[in-house]
Amino acid sequence: MNEVIVNGVDLTPPQVHERPIGLEALIFLLRHPEMSFGAPSRHPAPERTPVDWAQLPDALIRVVGQEDQVCLDILWRLRFAASVIRDSEVKICSGPAEIRFWMDECGEQHVSVALNVDANTYRAYQLTREFGDLIAPLTHWVKGFLFSFRSPHPYDAADWDACKKARQAEEEAELAAEAAAVTAGTRQPT
């Protein structure tokens, strides 16, 4: 491209990318999550919906848009997800992430990315919640992009009984902390 300078002002049109910066890195990470999430377990990730890796770039652009920053934001979020996995010492399952495109009741398109972890369904839920809690105060969500951890193991109701007990204990602790703050006079009753 030739430079266009008029009266000392650079009027050269900006370089247009065919694909957003970071898109290829994002697709590589989705296909090879072990590159950021660490060595996988021996348990393979189930391939529920085959991914057409050649068509994935165009499909992602249709959902999240053409802007360079969107792919970089998604990669940034996946780095936080990888830190959750590393801190938990849970291993991901071997194989690519599960990618699913869908449309909500308002006609908005979304892409859901699920990474299988070698843990029970409740632990996968906890990891997803930890990830959400970690990034929620830091930034806005990327429109149309959802991420979660998923367990390939059979559902066990006992896992979720533990979940109910843990949530009840959390709620009781929050109520106790609020009551203590009201008693101490640092907070008005709600």
Side-chain angles (χ1 to χ4, degrees), residues 81-91 117 123 127 130:
S83 73
V84 168
I85 288 296
R86 285 191 301 272
D87 291 347
S88 73
E89 299 181 8
V90 171
K91 291 189 177 279
V117 291
R123 186 65 179 125
L127 292 169
E130 287 173 31

Side-chain angles (χ1 to χ4, degrees), residues 1 9-10 15-16 58 74 85 101 112 133 160-161 185 187:
M1 184 182 312
V9 178
D10 186 357
Q15 191 172 4
V16 178
D58 294 329
I74 293 171
I85 288 296
F101 292 89
S112 294
D133 290 347
W160 289 95
D161 288 340
R187 184 186 298 168

Side-chain angles (χ1 to χ4, degrees), residues 11-32:
L11 299 176
T12 308
Q15 191 172 4
V16 178
H17 306 290
E18 288 185 23
R19 293 187 171 165
I21 293 172
L23 182 64
E24 298 303 323
L26 174 59
I27 290 169
F28 182 81
L29 179 58
L30 296 174
R31 195 169 192 174
H32 306 283

Side-chain angles (χ1 to χ4, degrees), residues 70-128:
V70 173
C71 286
L72 298 175
D73 283 348
I74 293 171
L75 283 167
W76 183 73
R77 283 164 175 72
L78 293 177
R79 289 180 72 190
F80 276 103
S83 73
V84 168
I85 288 296
R86 285 191 301 272
D87 291 347
S88 73
E89 299 181 8
V90 171
K91 291 189 177 279
I92 63 171
C93 294
S94 61
E98 183 179 329
I99 303 165
R100 187 174 66 91
F101 292 89
W102 54 281
M103 192 171 291
D104 67 18
E105 60 276 358
C106 297
E108 296 286 328
Q109 289 187 322
H110 301 273
V111 58
S112 294
V113 173
L115 188 59
N116 285 283
V117 291
D118 197 0
N120 64 37
T121 55
Y122 175 62
R123 186 65 179 125
Y125 161 79
Q126 282 181 316
L127 292 169
T128 299

